[in-house]
């Protein structure tokens, strides 16, 4: 791990993008990026988990870097295909190094944001507000990562189009990976803290459901079943009272 | 195909990449092991990088220029601080130029040595692995002896390069100390007792560096012949 590379990751995306083009020193760059990614994501994950506390801190500290790495591993071949498809001619190792460096930069930004989130949670910020705050921090980190990607792709209109397509792939895969690994925040009312929750559909299903709910369209079968279950529980508790 | 089957295939592919990278890695055993272990869970991302990465060449030009520049600046300041004073006999323009010429010569040789050692055929790790392979395959005694001699010469060259780098840094420090001592003596009027010792040590170090570089030439020629 090199202090010089760490500084370059944060302050010199041009230099990082140049280094990704050359095989000399690429392993050192990749290793430094990997360490930054693991450290930054783990610390941020730990802070996210501190909302619930207890084992959630450790679980989220493990799951956040795991989710990010799994996303990169799945997405990088797609990124290379998209880069070539949009008319660029980058080598696969260049795309891999660029992606890893960009993710490392994002993780370092998350590391910087972590104390702010911690302060907010410590000051009693609610669940939904905390989720929104963390999401906006992810967005900020993503924008920082974009800096390296655009420098690496050349900064032209084609580069923007390629970056946008890669971004769609990335967020799709990240969303599904995060869905499979949830919960990250956890609810304080939870008595037990599972490492991962049971699968309840996919990220796409959840997005679809949430989008419909946001415009007042509820799934009738589910809402009726939910009402029946709630009624059943209330009858049962009345009988018990009696 | 179930998720477990897919995971198993993934790990198997990772293990295969790890083995290939381990056998191929030009670095030491520890670096090769880190490379291989990283490849198992991350092979789609790591393998293309590790397979094609090369060691970064030392930028001898920049470091050497910086070093010479620092020494030149310190000598200039030292000379200017003693012009027209009795201390000028210890460090005048002529002796400063001689010191600088010697330093530049040493730095140039050191740079050449570094450039040589960054080449594949002068890699110590490659030579070690070649010797290991020859011994495992039971090659003839003469072949093994040549490989051992080559490796020994490379080790000497690397040791000389490290020693030179340290000596040049010490030399730079010494020149800076001389400069500071001269300025202090001029401004405070204190005794110049220590100045002569620093100048003598400076010349002794330069002499030592010259001799070390003669050794480096001999070792290089021996490595070329082996």
């Amino acid at each position: 791990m090199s202090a010089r590379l760490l500084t370059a990751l944060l302050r010199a995306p041009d230099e990082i993008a140049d280094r990704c083009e050359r095989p000399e020193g690429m392993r050192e760059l990749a290793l430094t990026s990997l360490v930054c990614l693991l450290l930054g994501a783990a610390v941020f994950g730990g802070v996210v988990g501190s909302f619930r506390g207890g084992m959630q801190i450790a679980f989220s500290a493990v799951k956040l870097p795991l989710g990010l790495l799994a996303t990169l591993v799945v997405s990088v071949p797609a990124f290379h295909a998209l880069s070539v498809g949009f008319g660029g001619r980058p080598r696969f190792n260049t795309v891999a190094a660029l992606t890893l460096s960009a993710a490392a930069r994002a993780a370092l930004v998350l590391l910087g944001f972590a104390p702010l989130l911690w302060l907010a949670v410590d000051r009693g910020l609610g669940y939904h507000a905390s989720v929104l705050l963390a999401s906006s921090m992810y967005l900020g980190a993503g924008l920082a990562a974009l800096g390296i990607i655009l420098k690496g792709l050349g900064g032209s209109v084609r580069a923007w189009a390629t970056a946008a397509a890669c971004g769609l792939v990335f967020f799709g895969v990240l969303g599904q990976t995060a869905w499979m690994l949830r919960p990250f925040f956890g609810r304080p009312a939870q008595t037990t803290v599972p490492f991962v929750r049971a699968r309840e559909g996919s990220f796409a299903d959840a997005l679809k459901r949430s989008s419909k709910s946001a415009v007042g369209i509820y799934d009738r079968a589910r809402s009726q079943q939910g009402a029946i279950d709630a009624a059943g529980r209330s009858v049962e508790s009345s009988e018990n009272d009696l | 195909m179930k998720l477990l089957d897919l995971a198993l295939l993934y790990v198997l592919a990772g293990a295969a990449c790890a083995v290939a990278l381990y056998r191929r890695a030009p670095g030491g055993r520890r670096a090769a092991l880190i490379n291989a272990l990283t490849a198992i869970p991350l092979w789609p991302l790591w393998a293309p990088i590790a397979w094609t990465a090369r060691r970064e060449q030392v930028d001898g030009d920049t470091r050497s220029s910086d070093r010479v520049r620092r020494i030149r600046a310190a000598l200039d300041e030292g000379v200017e601080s003693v012009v027209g004073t009795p201390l000028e006999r210890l460090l005048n323009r002529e002796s400063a130029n001689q010191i600088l010429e010697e330093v530049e010569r040493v730095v140039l040789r050191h740079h050449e040595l570094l450039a040589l050692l960054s080449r594949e055929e002068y890699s110590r790790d490659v030579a070690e692995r070649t010797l290991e392979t020859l011994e495992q395959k039971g090659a003839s005694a003469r072949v093994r002896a040549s490989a051992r001699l080559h490796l020994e010469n490379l080790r000497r060259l690397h040791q000389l390069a490290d020693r030179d780098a340290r000596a040049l840094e010490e030399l730079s420090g010494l020149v800076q100390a001389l400069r500071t001592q001269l300025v202090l003596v001029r401004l405070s009027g204190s005794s110049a007792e220590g100045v002569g010792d620093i100048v003598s040590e400076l010349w002794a170090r330069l002499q030592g560096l010259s001799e070390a570089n003669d050794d480096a030439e001999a070792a290089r020629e021996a490595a070329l012949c082996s």
Side-chain angles (χ1 to χ4, degrees):
Chain A
M1 176 124 169
S2 156
R4 190 169 46 89
L5 279 174
L6 198 63
T7 311
L9 276 169
L10 287 169
R11 299 178 66 170
D14 283 348
E15 186 189 324
I16 296 295
D18 280 339
R19 288 182 75 105
C20 292
E21 295 284 338
R22 297 180 272 118
E24 286 83 15
M26 198 186 268
R27 193 184 303 120
E28 193 192 16
L29 173 62
L31 203 56
T32 304
S33 299
L34 198 56
V35 169
C36 290
L37 195 158
L38 289 171
L39 182 67
V43 168
F44 193 79
V47 169
V48 162
S50 70
F51 187 86
R52 162 69 178 70
M55 284 306 290
Q56 189 68 61
I57 299 175
F59 287 168
S60 297
V62 167
K63 287 192 290 184
L64 211 73
L66 186 65
L68 199 48
L69 282 173
T71 304
L72 291 179
V73 154
V74 170
S75 307
V76 161
F79 291 169
H80 182 246
L82 284 168
S83 303
V84 171
F86 274 93
R89 300 169 74 168
R91 289 189 302 271
F92 194 98
N93 58 350
T94 299
V95 172
L98 208 57
T99 309
L100 203 49
S101 307
R105 191 173 203 223
L108 287 172
V109 169
L110 284 178
L111 184 64
F113 277 142
L116 291 173
L117 182 62
W118 194 359
L119 182 66
V121 165
D122 191 53
R123 298 302 296 161
L125 194 66
Y127 175 78
H128 292 287
S130 299
V131 169
L132 275 173
L133 181 60
S135 303
S136 53
M137 288 173 175
Y138 285 133
L139 186 64
L143 289 173
L146 191 62
I148 290 186
I149 297 290
L150 287 174
K151 294 286 181 199
L153 294 175
S156 59
V157 172
R158 179 182 59 76
W160 277 96
T162 312
C166 292
L168 281 174
V169 170
F170 180 78
F171 283 113
V173 176
L174 182 67
Q176 180 58 34
T177 312
W179 183 257
M180 286 166 64
L181 290 174
R182 74 195 207 288
F184 292 92
F185 270 87
R187 300 265 192 175
Q190 272 175 287
T191 48
T192 56
V193 179
F195 186 71
V196 289
R197 268 169 64 179
R199 274 186 67 194
E200 296 161 5
S202 68
F203 177 59
D205 292 336
L207 268 182
K208 199 170 143 188
R209 221 169 25 247
S210 297
S211 310
K212 280 183 179 176
S213 306
V215 294
I217 302 168
Y218 296 98
D219 186 344
R220 199 175 291 174
R222 275 180 180 267
S223 63
Q224 280 179 349
Q225 186 60 42
I228 290 168
D229 288 342
R233 279 196 295 275
S234 131
V235 166
E236 201 180 297
S237 74
S238 303
E239 283 173 355
N240 286 339
D241 288 341
L242 288 169
Chain B
M1 186 180 270
K2 290 182 190 166
L3 188 61
L4 201 57
D5 297 333
L6 194 60
L8 192 62
L9 275 174
Y10 184 90
V11 169
L12 279 174
C17 286
V19 167
L21 284 171
Y22 184 80
R23 290 173 67 86
R24 194 179 179 275
R29 222 171 254 279
R30 190 165 156 263
L33 192 63
I34 291 171
N35 230 11
L37 290 174
T38 312
I40 296 173
L42 299 175
W43 60 268
L45 198 59
W46 187 257
I49 294 171
W51 194 264
T52 53
R54 286 206 286 270
R55 194 186 304 188
E56 195 167 14
Q57 283 185 352
V58 171
D59 190 359
D61 279 334
T62 309
R63 269 197 226 164
S64 305
S65 307
D66 281 348
R67 212 173 265 146
V68 171
R69 202 174 17 250
R70 277 202 311 263
I71 293 175
R72 180 184 290 118
L75 283 171
D76 284 345
E77 201 177 333
V79 165
E80 275 161 27
S81 69
V82 298
V83 155
T85 70
L87 290 172
E88 204 178 347
R89 63 181 172 77
L90 287 172
L91 185 72
N92 53 25
R93 177 55 58 191
E94 195 184 321
S95 55
N97 286 342
Q98 280 175 354
I99 292 172
L100 197 60
E101 270 170 27
E102 194 61 35
V103 165
E104 280 171 347
R105 196 172 66 86
V106 167
V107 162
L108 188 63
R109 281 194 181 182
H110 180 58
H111 179 222
E112 280 175 15
L113 185 57
L114 287 179
L116 193 74
L117 292 175
S118 69
R119 282 158 50 182
E120 187 79 22
E121 55 267 36
Y122 284 87
S123 164
R124 195 174 26 185
D125 300 314
V126 167
E128 278 169 0
R129 275 212 305 275
T130 306
L131 180 61
E132 219 175 281
T133 310
L134 288 172
E135 279 169 355
Q136 278 167 9
K137 283 184 183 168
S140 72
R142 184 170 285 189
V143 169
R144 279 185 282 132
S146 298
R148 226 172 268 126
L149 179 63
H150 178 66
L151 177 62
E152 197 46 50
N153 287 330
L154 287 180
R155 280 183 180 147
R156 276 176 64 196
L157 280 172
H158 277 274
Q159 278 166 8
L160 284 168
D162 292 341
R163 198 174 77 186
D164 279 355
R166 278 196 307 272
L168 282 169
E169 273 306 313
E170 284 166 6
L171 194 65
S172 172
L174 211 50
V175 167
Q176 312 255 2
L178 175 64
R179 180 263 314 267
T180 317
Q181 184 85 359
L182 288 170
V183 168
L184 179 68
V185 165
R186 181 174 68 88
L187 291 176
S188 69
S190 55
S191 161
E193 200 179 312
V195 177
D197 295 337
I198 297 178
V199 172
S200 304
E201 197 179 340
L202 194 61
W203 281 110
R205 291 281 178 103
L206 283 168
Q207 177 78 9
L209 272 173
S210 281
E211 284 167 5
N213 276 289
D214 290 339
D215 284 348
E217 271 300 320
R220 190 178 102 162
E221 278 165 24
L224 275 170
C225 294
S226 65

